[in-house]
Amino acid sequence: MAALTPVRAAGGVVWRPAAGGPSVCLVHRPRHDDWSLPKGKLTAGEPTLVAAVREVLEETAVRAAPQVRLPSVSYWVGEGLPKTVDYWSMRELSAAEFTPNDEVDELRWLPVTEAARLLTYAHDGDVLRAFHALPPVSATVTLIRHAEAGDRRAWRGPDSARPLEPEGKRQAAALANLLALFAPERLVSASPRRCLQTLAQLADRLDLPIEVDTAFDETPATPDGATAAAHLVARARSARSTVVCGQGGSIAPAVAHLLGDEQNVSRYHTPKAAGWLLAFAGAAVAGSDRLPLLG
Protein backbone atom coordinates (compact mmCIF):
# COMPACT_ATOMS: atom_id res chain seq x y z
CA MET A 1 0.00 0.00 0.00
CA ALA A 2 1.43 3.38 -1.01
CA ALA A 3 2.27 5.80 1.77
CA LEU A 4 -0.14 8.66 2.22
CA THR A 5 1.18 12.05 1.13
CA PRO A 6 0.79 14.50 4.01
CA VAL A 7 -1.13 17.70 3.39
CA ARG A 8 1.07 20.70 4.19
CA ALA A 9 -0.34 24.04 5.22
CA ALA A 10 0.83 27.20 6.96
CA GLY A 11 -0.63 30.22 8.69
CA GLY A 12 -0.23 32.66 11.51
CA VAL A 13 -1.34 34.25 14.72
CA VAL A 14 -1.67 37.77 13.35
CA TRP A 15 -1.60 40.48 15.98
CA ARG A 16 -1.90 44.23 16.33
CA PRO A 17 -1.33 46.41 19.42
CA ALA A 18 -4.39 47.35 21.46
CA ALA A 19 -5.20 48.72 24.89
CA GLY A 20 -4.64 46.01 27.48
CA GLY A 21 -2.60 43.76 25.18
CA PRO A 22 -2.51 42.56 21.58
CA SER A 23 -5.57 41.75 19.52
CA VAL A 24 -5.39 38.69 17.26
CA CYS A 25 -7.21 37.90 14.05
CA LEU A 26 -9.63 34.97 13.64
CA VAL A 27 -11.54 33.93 10.53
CA HIS A 28 -14.88 32.19 10.05
CA ARG A 29 -15.09 29.61 7.27
CA PRO A 30 -18.68 29.03 6.11
CA ARG A 31 -17.88 25.67 4.55
CA HIS A 32 -16.94 24.26 7.96
CA ASP A 33 -18.85 26.78 10.10
CA ASP A 34 -15.76 27.17 12.28
CA TRP A 35 -13.60 29.90 13.77
CA SER A 36 -9.90 29.34 13.23
CA LEU A 37 -6.51 30.92 12.76
CA PRO A 38 -5.89 32.02 9.16
CA LYS A 39 -4.04 29.32 7.22
CA GLY A 40 -3.98 27.47 3.91
CA LYS A 41 -2.26 24.83 1.82
CA LEU A 42 1.17 25.21 0.29
CA THR A 43 1.48 25.38 -3.48
CA ALA A 44 3.99 23.08 -5.19
CA GLY A 45 7.54 23.96 -4.15
CA GLU A 46 6.45 26.86 -1.95
CA PRO A 47 8.42 27.42 1.29
CA THR A 48 6.19 27.17 4.35
CA LEU A 49 7.01 30.68 5.56
CA VAL A 50 6.11 32.17 2.18
CA ALA A 51 2.86 30.21 2.19
CA ALA A 52 2.02 31.39 5.71
CA VAL A 53 2.31 35.07 4.76
CA ARG A 54 0.47 34.56 1.47
CA GLU A 55 -2.42 32.67 3.07
CA VAL A 56 -2.82 35.27 5.82
CA LEU A 57 -3.03 37.99 3.18
CA GLU A 58 -5.50 36.04 1.03
CA GLU A 59 -7.82 35.14 3.91
CA THR A 60 -7.71 38.39 5.89
CA ALA A 61 -6.45 41.18 3.55
CA VAL A 62 -3.76 41.79 6.19
CA ARG A 63 -0.12 42.13 5.21
CA ALA A 64 1.89 40.82 8.14
CA ALA A 65 5.56 40.21 9.02
CA PRO A 66 6.62 36.91 10.65
CA GLN A 67 8.33 37.16 14.04
CA VAL A 68 8.42 33.88 16.00
CA ARG A 69 7.82 30.31 14.91
CA LEU A 70 4.98 28.76 16.91
CA PRO A 71 4.19 25.06 17.45
CA SER A 72 3.08 23.09 14.41
CA VAL A 73 -0.07 21.01 14.62
CA SER A 74 -0.91 17.69 12.97
CA TYR A 75 -4.27 15.99 12.50
CA TRP A 76 -6.23 13.85 10.03
CA VAL A 77 -8.43 15.25 7.29
CA GLY A 78 -10.62 14.00 4.47
CA GLU A 79 -10.15 10.32 3.69
CA GLY A 80 -7.65 9.76 6.47
CA LEU A 81 -4.90 12.03 5.15
CA PRO A 82 -2.36 13.39 7.64
CA LYS A 83 -2.16 17.19 7.69
CA THR A 84 0.52 19.39 9.26
CA VAL A 85 0.16 23.15 9.68
CA ASP A 86 3.14 25.37 10.51
CA TYR A 87 2.45 28.67 12.29
CA TRP A 88 4.28 31.91 12.99
CA SER A 89 3.34 34.90 15.07
CA MET A 90 2.98 37.84 12.69
CA ARG A 91 2.92 41.57 13.28
CA GLU A 92 0.31 43.45 11.25
CA LEU A 93 1.88 45.82 8.75
CA SER A 94 -1.20 47.05 6.91
CA ALA A 95 -4.77 45.96 6.27
CA ALA A 96 -6.97 46.48 3.26
CA GLU A 97 -10.75 46.35 3.51
CA PHE A 98 -11.89 42.78 4.14
CA THR A 99 -14.38 41.44 1.60
CA PRO A 100 -16.44 38.39 2.65
CA ASN A 101 -16.17 35.47 0.23
CA ASP A 102 -16.99 31.77 -0.10
CA GLU A 103 -13.84 30.75 1.78
CA VAL A 104 -13.90 33.31 4.63
CA ASP A 105 -17.08 35.24 5.32
CA GLU A 106 -16.20 36.97 8.59
CA LEU A 107 -13.11 38.28 10.34
CA ARG A 108 -12.72 39.40 13.95
CA TRP A 109 -9.95 41.11 15.92
CA LEU A 110 -10.17 40.02 19.55
CA PRO A 111 -8.13 40.04 22.77
CA VAL A 112 -6.31 36.73 23.20
CA THR A 113 -8.60 35.47 25.97
CA GLU A 114 -11.75 36.16 23.92
CA ALA A 115 -10.18 34.63 20.83
CA ALA A 116 -9.33 31.46 22.76
CA ARG A 117 -13.00 31.06 23.73
CA LEU A 118 -14.21 31.54 20.16
CA LEU A 119 -11.81 29.10 18.47
CA THR A 120 -13.47 25.89 17.33
CA TYR A 121 -10.49 23.55 17.52
CA ALA A 122 -8.33 22.65 20.52
CA HIS A 123 -5.14 22.56 18.43
CA ASP A 124 -5.67 26.19 17.40
CA GLY A 125 -6.01 27.00 21.09
CA ASP A 126 -2.62 25.37 21.75
CA VAL A 127 -1.01 27.59 19.12
CA LEU A 128 -2.69 30.69 20.55
CA ARG A 129 -1.52 29.84 24.08
CA ALA A 130 2.05 29.51 22.80
CA PHE A 131 1.73 32.98 21.29
CA HIS A 132 0.27 34.38 24.51
CA ALA A 133 3.21 32.95 26.50
CA LEU A 134 5.74 34.93 24.46
CA PRO A 135 7.18 38.14 25.85
CA PRO A 136 6.20 41.18 23.76
CA VAL A 137 8.40 41.09 20.66
CA SER A 138 9.95 44.47 19.98
CA ALA A 139 12.05 43.64 16.91
CA THR A 140 13.36 40.93 14.62
CA VAL A 141 16.79 40.43 13.09
CA THR A 142 17.09 38.06 10.15
CA LEU A 143 20.71 36.88 10.08
CA ILE A 144 21.82 35.12 6.90
CA ARG A 145 25.04 33.77 5.46
CA HIS A 146 26.06 35.01 2.04
CA ALA A 147 25.11 33.01 -1.06
CA GLU A 148 27.42 30.72 -3.04
CA ALA A 149 30.65 32.38 -4.14
CA GLY A 150 32.74 29.46 -5.37
CA ASP A 151 35.90 27.99 -3.88
CA ARG A 152 38.15 30.56 -2.21
CA ARG A 153 41.19 28.45 -3.21
CA ALA A 154 40.36 28.95 -6.90
CA TRP A 155 40.02 32.73 -6.57
CA ARG A 156 43.23 34.58 -7.36
CA GLY A 157 42.33 38.00 -6.07
CA PRO A 158 41.80 39.24 -2.50
CA ASP A 159 39.27 37.06 -0.74
CA SER A 160 37.25 40.14 0.22
CA ALA A 161 36.66 40.76 -3.51
CA ARG A 162 35.39 37.25 -4.31
CA PRO A 163 31.98 37.67 -6.01
CA LEU A 164 28.87 35.52 -6.10
CA GLU A 165 28.85 32.79 -8.71
CA PRO A 166 25.78 32.27 -10.96
CA GLU A 167 24.20 29.88 -8.45
CA GLY A 168 24.78 32.46 -5.72
CA LYS A 169 23.02 35.13 -7.76
CA ARG A 170 20.05 32.81 -8.16
CA GLN A 171 20.05 32.19 -4.39
CA ALA A 172 20.23 35.94 -3.76
CA ALA A 173 17.12 36.45 -5.88
CA ALA A 174 15.27 33.78 -3.87
CA LEU A 175 16.48 35.36 -0.64
CA ALA A 176 15.23 38.77 -1.74
CA ASN A 177 11.71 37.32 -2.09
CA LEU A 178 11.86 35.70 1.33
CA LEU A 179 13.55 38.49 3.25
CA ALA A 180 11.13 41.10 1.94
CA LEU A 181 8.41 39.32 3.93
CA PHE A 182 9.98 40.60 7.15
CA ALA A 183 9.54 44.23 6.04
CA PRO A 184 13.10 45.21 6.98
CA GLU A 185 13.82 48.82 7.80
CA ARG A 186 17.62 48.39 7.79
CA LEU A 187 20.02 46.21 5.78
CA VAL A 188 23.44 45.42 7.22
CA SER A 189 26.31 43.51 5.60
CA ALA A 190 29.76 42.25 6.42
CA SER A 191 32.38 43.94 4.25
CA PRO A 192 33.22 41.21 1.65
CA ARG A 193 31.78 41.74 -1.81
CA ARG A 194 29.82 38.46 -1.74
CA CYS A 195 27.93 39.59 1.37
CA LEU A 196 27.03 42.94 -0.16
CA GLN A 197 25.98 41.24 -3.39
CA THR A 198 23.73 38.85 -1.48
CA LEU A 199 21.68 41.82 -0.25
CA ALA A 200 21.89 43.93 -3.41
CA GLN A 201 18.66 42.69 -5.01
CA LEU A 202 16.77 43.13 -1.74
CA ALA A 203 18.21 46.64 -1.36
CA ASP A 204 17.06 47.59 -4.87
CA ARG A 205 13.63 46.14 -4.23
CA LEU A 206 13.12 48.03 -0.97
CA ASP A 207 15.12 51.14 -1.94
CA LEU A 208 17.25 50.81 1.19
CA PRO A 209 20.99 51.42 1.63
CA ILE A 210 23.26 48.60 2.77
CA GLU A 211 25.23 49.49 5.90
CA VAL A 212 28.62 47.78 6.35
CA ASP A 213 29.48 46.35 9.78
CA THR A 214 32.77 44.45 10.10
CA ALA A 215 31.53 42.73 13.28
CA PHE A 216 30.04 40.16 10.90
CA ASP A 217 33.28 39.60 8.96
CA GLU A 218 35.20 36.35 9.23
CA THR A 219 38.76 36.87 10.44
CA PRO A 220 41.76 34.51 10.64
CA ALA A 221 41.30 34.41 14.40
CA THR A 222 38.24 32.84 16.00
CA PRO A 223 35.42 35.37 15.61
CA ASP A 224 34.25 37.01 18.81
CA GLY A 225 30.70 35.74 19.26
CA ALA A 226 30.02 38.20 22.07
CA THR A 227 30.95 41.17 19.88
CA ALA A 228 28.81 40.05 16.95
CA ALA A 229 25.94 39.22 19.31
CA ALA A 230 26.14 42.69 20.86
CA HIS A 231 25.91 44.22 17.40
CA LEU A 232 22.82 42.11 16.66
CA VAL A 233 21.18 43.36 19.86
CA ALA A 234 22.06 46.93 18.93
CA ARG A 235 20.45 46.45 15.53
CA ALA A 236 17.33 45.02 17.18
CA ARG A 237 17.09 48.16 19.30
CA SER A 238 17.46 50.48 16.32
CA ALA A 239 14.69 49.14 14.04
CA ARG A 240 11.65 46.91 14.19
CA SER A 241 13.09 44.65 11.49
CA THR A 242 16.68 44.32 10.27
CA VAL A 243 18.36 41.95 7.82
CA VAL A 244 22.04 41.16 8.42
CA CYS A 245 24.26 39.25 5.98
CA GLY A 246 27.47 37.85 7.45
CA GLN A 247 30.19 35.30 6.87
CA GLY A 248 29.81 31.77 8.16
CA GLY A 249 32.52 32.06 10.79
CA SER A 250 30.79 34.98 12.48
CA ILE A 251 27.23 33.64 12.51
CA ALA A 252 27.52 30.44 14.56
CA PRO A 253 29.37 31.96 17.54
CA ALA A 254 27.03 34.98 17.56
CA VAL A 255 23.87 32.85 17.65
CA ALA A 256 25.40 30.49 20.23
CA HIS A 257 26.22 33.47 22.45
CA LEU A 258 22.75 34.95 22.12
CA LEU A 259 21.18 31.61 23.06
CA GLY A 260 23.58 30.98 25.95
CA ASP A 261 25.04 27.88 24.29
CA GLU A 262 28.66 28.89 23.71
CA GLN A 263 29.88 25.34 24.45
CA ASN A 264 28.07 24.03 21.38
CA VAL A 265 28.92 26.50 18.63
CA SER A 266 28.94 23.75 15.99
CA ARG A 267 25.16 23.33 16.47
CA TYR A 268 24.69 26.72 14.85
CA HIS A 269 26.66 26.08 11.69
CA THR A 270 24.77 27.86 8.92
CA PRO A 271 24.93 26.82 5.24
CA LYS A 272 25.33 29.45 2.56
CA ALA A 273 22.11 31.26 1.64
CA ALA A 274 20.54 30.09 4.91
CA GLY A 275 20.19 31.80 8.25
CA TRP A 276 18.24 32.58 11.38
CA LEU A 277 15.12 34.50 12.31
CA LEU A 278 15.83 36.06 15.71
CA ALA A 279 13.04 37.76 17.63
CA PHE A 280 13.92 40.15 20.46
CA ALA A 281 12.10 41.43 23.49
CA GLY A 282 14.37 44.34 24.27
CA ALA A 283 17.87 42.84 24.54
CA ALA A 284 16.65 39.29 25.19
CA VAL A 285 15.99 36.68 22.51
CA ALA A 286 12.30 35.80 22.51
CA GLY A 287 12.52 33.23 19.73
CA SER A 288 14.94 31.74 17.20
CA ASP A 289 14.23 29.76 14.07
CA ARG A 290 16.43 28.39 11.32
CA LEU A 291 15.77 29.61 7.80
CA PRO A 292 16.61 26.72 5.39
CA LEU A 293 18.65 26.80 2.23
CA LEU A 294 16.65 28.63 -0.42
CA GLY A 295 16.41 28.60 -4.16
Side-chain angles (χ1 to χ4, degrees), residues 33-294:
D33 190 22
D34 61 11
W35 284 96
S36 64
L37 300 169
K39 65 182 182 297
K41 296 177 184 177
L42 277 61
T43 62
E46 186 178 34
T48 54
L49 186 59
V50 175
V53 174
R54 175 185 57 76
E55 284 291 342
V56 163
L57 178 61
E58 290 179 1
E59 290 202 346
T60 69
V62 174
R63 192 168 70 92
Q67 293 187 310
V68 179
R69 185 166 192 145
L70 298 171
S72 300
V73 299
S74 297
Y75 50 93
W76 299 92
V77 296
E79 300 298 322
L81 288 175
K83 181 175 183 177
T84 297
V85 188
D86 296 316
Y87 287 100
W88 282 262
S89 67
M90 298 184 186
R91 171 175 59 89
E92 179 197 44
L93 299 172
S94 61
E97 183 178 355
F98 171 73
T99 303
N101 54 72
D102 292 341
E103 186 174 356
V104 176
D105 63 352
E106 190 175 351
L107 177 153
R108 292 185 189 176
W109 288 93
L110 298 168
V112 174
T113 52
E114 291 185 30
R117 289 193 293 268
L118 184 61
L119 283 169
T120 301
Y121 305 111
H123 53 73
D124 279 353
D126 293 338
V127 176
L128 189 58
R129 279 188 290 274
F131 166 79
H132 193 46
L134 292 171
V137 172
S138 54
T140 60
V141 175
T142 312
L143 175 62
I144 61 167
R145 185 178 176 185
H146 64 77
E148 291 287 348
D151 187 344
R152 70 175 66 191
R153 294 169 297 184
W155 174 253
R156 297 184 179 180
D159 186 62
S160 61
R162 182 158 48 98
L164 295 182
E165 60 183 14
E167 172 63 11
K169 292 179 181 177
R170 188 178 70 85
Q171 290 173 335
L175 278 170
N177 291 332
L178 178 84
L179 298 173
L181 300 179
F182 301 106
E185 299 170 356
R186 298 183 74 175
L187 305 180
V188 179
S189 173
S191 62
R193 175 186 293 175
R194 54 194 176 275
C195 298
L196 290 159
Q197 288 181 326
T198 298
L199 293 186
Q201 295 185 60
L202 179 64
D204 288 344
R205 178 172 177 167
L206 301 178
D207 194 23
L208 287 174
I210 301 174
E211 307 166 36
V212 174
D213 187 340
T214 58
F216 304 107
D217 284 13
E218 194 172 66
T219 61
T222 301
D224 184 350
T227 298
H231 282 237
L232 290 172
V233 172
R235 298 297 180 179
R237 286 178 159 172
S238 67
R240 288 189 301 179
S241 177
T242 302
V243 169
V244 177
C245 182
Q247 294 186 265
S250 69
I251 292 174
V255 176
H257 184 85
L258 283 171
L259 301 182
D261 197 18
E262 293 94 338
Q263 302 304 310
N264 295 292
V265 172
S266 62
R267 289 182 180 175
Y268 305 98
H269 170 74
T270 304
K272 293 173 183 174
W276 296 85
L277 173 59
L278 302 169
F280 288 84
V285 176
S288 62
D289 183 29
R290 278 188 180 272
L291 296 178
L293 184 69
L294 299 168

